[in-house]
Amino acid sequence: MKWISKNDHTFLIAGPCSAESEEQLDTTVKALSELTNVNLIRAGIWKPRTKPNSFEGMGKVALPWLVNAGKKYNLPVGTEVANAQHVEEALAADVDVLWIGARTTVNPFAVQEIADSLRGVDIPIMIKNPVNPDLQLWIGSLERIAQAGLTKIAAIHRGFSFYGDSIYRNLPQWEIPIEFMRLMPEIPLICDPSHISGRRYSIAHVSQRALDLNFNGLMIETHTDPDNAMSDAKQQVTPSSLQGIMDGLRVRESSTTDPNFHQKLEELRNQIDALDADILSKLMNRLALSNDIGQYKLEHKVSILNLERWDRIMKDRTKLGSELGLRPEFIEKIMQMIHKESIKIQNQVMNRSLLDESIDD
Ligand code: PEP
Ligand code: MN
């Protein structure tokens, strides 16, 4: 089978959230095999669900349904494993690819158990990010699997849990997969827009974002009758909608050989480098003033926080930013970070004797 490479940008994994019946898998895999460029079929056999008494997957009876549909339509198949028994049953059934789900990646005991059960078996494996935004935990899971001797390892970005409202089911926090790519440059990275979006209509734009960030492919949940799916009904798309999404994506190169492009890009990047140096030296000047203010407040026995001043700064800077064409949310974030650093510096000046670095944040 073709495995994901760092040169791919459209490795496509599709299939239902859950295996539901033999017929469902047969019709879904048939429809997907008729689409151009589906590389791997997915289907959950054991489903980690938030609440008890939800549908928790068909279990091992569904393994031959998946494997047989894959063989019949000539596509490799993959499923999620969460413990050594799942691994044993999936391997015995001849599943081609395994993946570790987000609720399992958080647990080093579970990941180690899976790694130990795979020692000596070089099956392709994909590791989803943990539900919490902990990059090192994600990387640690990959290391556990690599140390067991597996060599065909890929990662899947499926977003991060949070409390509150959002247009997303799981926040993409793109800076985390970008940092993943920087730290793990050899590991192919797939985006799962279905679990990030949680609903059909945003799958296309999340997928486009992933392609524009040089991800190596997509995992998109696909069901022949999504509204009646036994899990994740809102986010699954039909095979023909999947085709529509794929046809609408613009695949851009991560670079070009055009020398003019490189020359112009170089010029623009030089300007950015110079501006960054400017911003940093201005930040330094600003924080030096915070230091002086701390000294002055100390001498006059005045406390650090002045809410009126802070409120005025926020209002003024967001207004100034808007006039310059900068988004208020962006300015708010920057000003909050600068203010936090300024308070920290004043605290260092004013409370030197009490300072305990370990609690200073
Ligand atoms: C899934 O892929 O169906 C799944 C359970 O996803 P996650 O582990 O990302 O929640
Ligand atoms: Mn799902």
Side-chain angles (χ1 to χ4, degrees), residues 16-18 42 47 128 169 195 221 231-232 235-236:
C17 177
S18 302
R42 63 149 285 149
K47 299 301 299 178
K128 288 196 170 197
R169 175 177 172 193
H195 290 89
E221 286 188 338
S231 58
D232 288 351
Q235 70 196 32
Q236 301 208 57

Side-chain angles (χ1 to χ4, degrees), residues 298-361:
L298 176 66
E299 284 160 22
H300 292 81
K301 300 190 174 51
V302 171
S303 64
I304 296 179
L305 183 63
N306 181 330
L307 268 183
E308 261 169 52
R309 162 83 178 148
W310 172 226
D311 187 49
R312 236 181 310 126
I313 288 185
M314 268 306 230
K315 287 189 176 129
D316 177 74
R317 306 306 189 257
T318 45
K319 182 165 169 282
L320 187 61
S322 295
E323 285 162 10
L324 292 168
L326 296 164
R327 286 187 310 113
E329 300 80 13
F330 173 59
I331 300 300
E332 268 170 31
K333 270 197 197 143
I334 290 189
M335 292 314 302
Q336 272 160 357
M337 282 167 68
I338 293 176
H339 189 237
K340 186 174 167 189
E341 191 67 15
S342 168
I343 288 179
K344 196 167 179 167
I345 287 171
Q346 292 181 57
N347 187 42
Q348 276 166 1
V349 173
M350 297 168 73
N351 298 313
R352 221 175 290 266
S353 59
L354 297 176
L355 212 60
D356 175 351
E357 283 295 333
S358 64
I359 55 158
D360 182 39
D361 213 352

Side-chain angles (χ1 to χ4, degrees), residues 211-237:
L211 290 195
D212 284 331
L213 294 176
N214 303 328
F215 276 65
N216 303 107
L218 300 167
M219 178 192 254
I220 300 183
E221 286 188 338
T222 320
H223 196 284
T224 43
D225 182 8
D227 287 334
N228 292 308
M230 293 169 86
S231 58
D232 288 351
K234 289 203 192 101
Q235 70 196 32
Q236 301 208 57
V237 295

Side-chain angles (χ1 to χ4, degrees), residues 147-187:
Q147 282 178 15
L150 284 84
T151 58
K152 299 184 199 76
I153 301 176
I156 303 177
H157 170 48
R158 50 75 80 197
F160 302 94
S161 291
F162 64 99
Y163 181 72
D165 294 326
S166 167
I167 54 162
Y168 296 109
R169 175 177 172 193
N170 291 292
L171 299 180
Q173 298 192 256
W174 296 107
E175 66 282 11
I176 298 175
I178 289 171
E179 184 65 356
F180 180 95
M181 289 182 211
R182 195 175 71 82
L183 296 176
M184 307 294 279
E186 311 297 325
I187 303 287

Side-chain angles (χ1 to χ4, degrees), residues 115 125 127 140-151 153 187:
I125 187 161
I127 301 168
S141 297
L142 269 92
E143 289 169 351
R144 287 177 195 278
I145 297 295
Q147 282 178 15
L150 284 84
T151 58
I153 301 176
I187 303 287

Side-chain angles (χ1 to χ4, degrees), residues 256-274:
T256 162
T257 49
D258 179 349
N260 292 331
F261 169 84
H262 287 286
Q263 199 190 335
K264 180 74 190 161
L265 191 64
E266 191 68 20
E267 276 169 33
L268 293 170
R269 283 180 171 162
N270 287 341
Q271 288 180 42
I272 283 189
D273 290 348

